[in-house]
Amino acid sequence: MNERTDQPSTVLLRRGEVHSPADPFATAMVVEHGQVAWVGSEGAADAFADGVDETVDLDGALVTPAFTDAHVHATATGLALTGLDLSGAPSLADALALVREFAAARPHDRVLLGHGWDASRWPGGRPPGRAELDAATGGRPLYLSRIDVHSAVVTTALLDLVPSLGATGDGPLTRDAHHAVRSAALGAVTEAQRTEAQRAALAHAASLGIGSLHECGGPGISSEDDFTGLLRLAAAEPGPRVTGYWAEQDVDKARELGAAGAAGDLFVDGALGSHTACLHQPYADAGHTGTAYLDADAVAAHVVACTEAGLQAGFHAIGDAAVTAVVEGVRAAADKLGTARVRAGRHRVEHAEMLTPESIAAFADLGLTASVQPAFDALWGGADGMYAQRLGAERAGALNPFAALLRAGVPLALGSDSPVTPLDPWGTVRAAAFHRTPGHRISVRAAFAAHTRGGWRAAGRDDAGVLVPGAPADYAVWRTGALVVQAPDDRVARWSTDPRSGTPGLPDLTPGHDLPVCLRTVVGGRTVFVRPSE
């Protein structure tokens, strides 16, 4: 993670609630030289009052570690924030109307960019056709990615920019055709537009109490210039820290680009919504098993190369066949290098949705981190959701087994895969705690830890993501309701609920309750967001 070299002033925060295992009843905290220097009681804070440069009266607000979103596409997130967002379109007709309005409002864009359509949620279930999009844009180039970003619909004018494609049919483009049109569309984005989008994404993250992002770039996802530009921007300007992962089977390239690993969205398969996740058994609504991009031998070779180079390896794997390929490949690497050496590499699996008890046990044995997105279940889970349409109720009900992963000792890091689902840290914690399948639910405390300290650990840091002396002063201040210690509940994986245990309280995230509002975000002791009028 990029580190700040200039250190801010010494600050005393007091008269609030500080979420710290160092003192579960702490109401005050001292930050010095970009690190947490002390946490404790209001009475003890008086001893520091005369020796600090600034005192912040929290007025009862909650202070927590800043969140880490462990899977983000920053430029695409920024373009979604500044571009056409179809995630709220309730029907095909509404989506086409939004396309028409967007095209009319941006007459000078070389390529129109949009994201977020999901035909599985529309009456009739049909995506936009090419002729409809040609009419809505007046014949201009348009790229509209599906919500899972593994397929897209485009206009004829955009296809004309990729003459090597040939005939593509009228439906959504997937696999190589999708990669080609996405590259053409993003290639039309100017450097200034890209930087503007990245700034927008980082500022939005900071406004939500997110202090760190894991950028998942790679060929066909973004570009080398996009990736290195984001890392430079994050290092040069106040905002969330950015850890970069480059999804290419080229260790030297990942190191050259400044990546923490040749990892992230290194695709072993695609996505369930686009019928490209790789399954052992065919889809319930399609007569095939999806798409395999890497096999176990390729996985093994990559893990060996990364481990020997001292870099993290990682893979995008959603379907059960893809997860099997990852497990078999990492196991083969461990047989060659030794399990202890592979475990020490802290290699990652992104998404890891279709897991069996055997694959979960293998994750634990091999030291694999599961980088997961609970909002996927909130959006697509349930008896009538997209997962059930694609897989049938039985297989869909087994997806995203967070509780089983924790019980097995698999490290969890939570993220959004933004712009697939929005940056929304407390909503992500709620989605994990109130999983649509009750047996997969985890406690709010466990989900909160996975979305704060878990992200740092996934990037190889064990000394951060928690407010204790010596840790980086990455924290957020929240306006929230009364704090609670979670009561016993058969629906969730349990943890100590006896108030005498000294467990720090957390906001009540029961659905229907308001989520906390971020008042201030601080990274390395430096304020990177203050809520207006606060």
Side-chain angles (χ1 to χ4, degrees):
M1 293 184 177
N2 50 295
E3 299 289 347
R4 275 46 176 196
T5 56
D6 56 323
Q7 300 296 345
S9 59
T10 302
V11 179
L12 168 64
L13 299 91
R14 62 188 308 178
R15 289 205 327 115
E17 300 282 351
V18 179
H19 187 93
S20 172
D23 182 347
F25 306 106
T27 61
M29 180 171 77
V30 173
V31 172
E32 188 173 21
H33 302 306
Q35 294 183 320
V36 177
W38 172 86
V39 293
S41 67
E42 181 61 30
D46 289 336
F48 296 94
D50 292 335
V52 299
D53 300 307
E54 180 184 1
T55 297
V56 175
D57 186 342
L58 295 169
D59 192 24
L62 170 67
V63 181
T64 71
F67 286 98
T68 294
D69 193 308
H71 192 119
V72 169
H73 305 282
T75 302
T77 296
L79 290 172
L81 290 168
T82 60
L84 174 58
D85 180 4
L86 294 177
S87 61
S91 68
L92 172 59
D94 289 292
L96 291 171
L98 289 170
V99 169
R100 282 191 294 272
E101 293 171 7
F102 184 73
R106 302 182 74 93
H108 304 299
D109 286 3
R110 288 188 288 179
V111 172
L112 299 166
L113 299 171
H115 168 73
W117 61 269
D118 185 357
S120 71
R121 305 176 70 193
W122 292 343
R126 181 175 70 80
R130 191 160 302 143
E132 293 170 312
L133 295 175
D134 287 346
T137 60
R140 296 168 62 192
L142 167 74
Y143 169 85
L144 287 181
S145 54
R146 190 186 180 280
I147 192 167
D148 62 8
V149 202
H150 284 266
S151 60
V153 290
V154 301
T155 55
T156 303
L158 183 59
L159 287 177
D160 290 342
L161 299 179
V162 196
S164 60
L165 272 183
T168 60
D170 189 52
L173 303 180
T174 61
R175 303 180 61 179
D176 292 343
H178 174 229
H179 296 160
V181 295
R182 178 166 59 185
S183 294
L186 295 180
V189 175
T190 66
E191 182 178 355
Q193 285 176 303
R194 187 173 66 220
T195 301
E196 177 191 17
Q198 291 171 347
R199 281 200 180 102
L202 294 175
H204 184 55
S207 76
L208 298 171
I210 297 171
S212 298
L213 301 171
H214 294 181
E215 168 70 10
C216 293
I221 300 169
S222 51
S223 69
E224 293 180 16
D225 287 344
D226 180 280
F227 186 76
T228 56
L230 174 66
L231 296 182
R232 285 195 303 271
L233 181 69
E237 299 183 3
R241 304 173 192 261
V242 175
T243 298
Y245 290 97
W246 184 253
E248 190 171 3
Q249 292 172 277
D250 184 339
V251 169
D252 292 335
K253 175 61 70 175
R255 194 187 300 281
E256 174 190 329
L257 297 178
D265 272 334
L266 183 52
F267 296 125
V268 178
D269 68 344
L272 291 166
S274 296
H275 292 99
T276 51
C278 191
L279 314 180
H280 283 304
Q281 301 298 324
Y283 283 88
D285 61 350
H288 62 83
T289 57
T291 303
Y293 296 118
L294 296 177
D295 60 15
D297 289 343
V299 169
H302 188 61
V303 172
V304 168
C306 287
T307 303
E308 290 181 332
L311 287 176
Q312 283 182 284
F315 306 92
H316 162 120
I318 287 179
D320 50 2
V323 172
T324 295
V326 170
V327 166
E328 291 179 352
V330 179
R331 180 75 69 193
D335 289 342
K336 180 175 181 178
L337 300 176
T339 300
R341 192 173 176 194
V342 168
R343 285 178 60 89
R346 299 196 187 189
H347 306 307
R348 299 171 52 145
V349 183
E350 309 298 319
H351 316 308
E353 294 198 76
M354 292 186 72
L355 296 165
T356 63
E358 292 76 19
S359 58
I360 291 171
F363 271 45
D365 183 47
L366 297 167
L368 294 172
T369 294
S371 171
V372 297
Q373 295 74 41
F376 287 7
D377 172 75
L379 184 61
W380 297 313
D384 300 321
M386 182 270 288
Y387 288 153
Q389 295 173 26
R390 295 290 185 269
L391 301 173
E394 183 176 354
R395 283 190 293 177
L399 291 181
N400 301 298
F402 305 139
L405 285 163
L406 282 184
R407 284 194 295 267
V410 176
L412 287 186
L414 304 191
S416 62
D417 198 9
S418 179
V420 175
T421 63
L423 298 170
D424 180 15
W426 285 113
T428 296
V429 173
R430 172 185 280 174
F434 294 91
H435 196 295
R436 288 178 178 270
T437 302
H440 297 332
R441 294 174 179 174
I442 60 177
S443 69
V444 168
R445 179 184 175 212
F448 176 78
H451 212 356
T452 49
R453 195 170 194 178
W456 283 89
R457 285 175 163 169
R461 290 278 300 269
D462 293 331
D463 61 339
V466 61
L467 299 180
V468 297
D474 290 23
Y475 62 90
V477 180
W478 307 91
R479 181 172 64 231
T480 188
L483 304 184
V484 297
V485 177
Q486 191 167 342
D489 190 327
D490 289 338
R491 298 172 304 170
V492 300
R494 297 182 180 180
W495 48 281
S496 175
T497 57
D498 187 339
R500 293 170 297 178
S501 71
T503 300
L506 284 167
D508 187 347
L509 300 184
T510 305
H513 288 192
D514 291 338
L515 293 175
V517 174
C518 185
L519 304 179
R520 179 184 296 259
T521 304
V522 176
V523 175
R526 174 188 290 178
T527 298
V528 299
F529 168 76
V530 176
R531 187 172 181 82
S533 303
E534 299 286 356

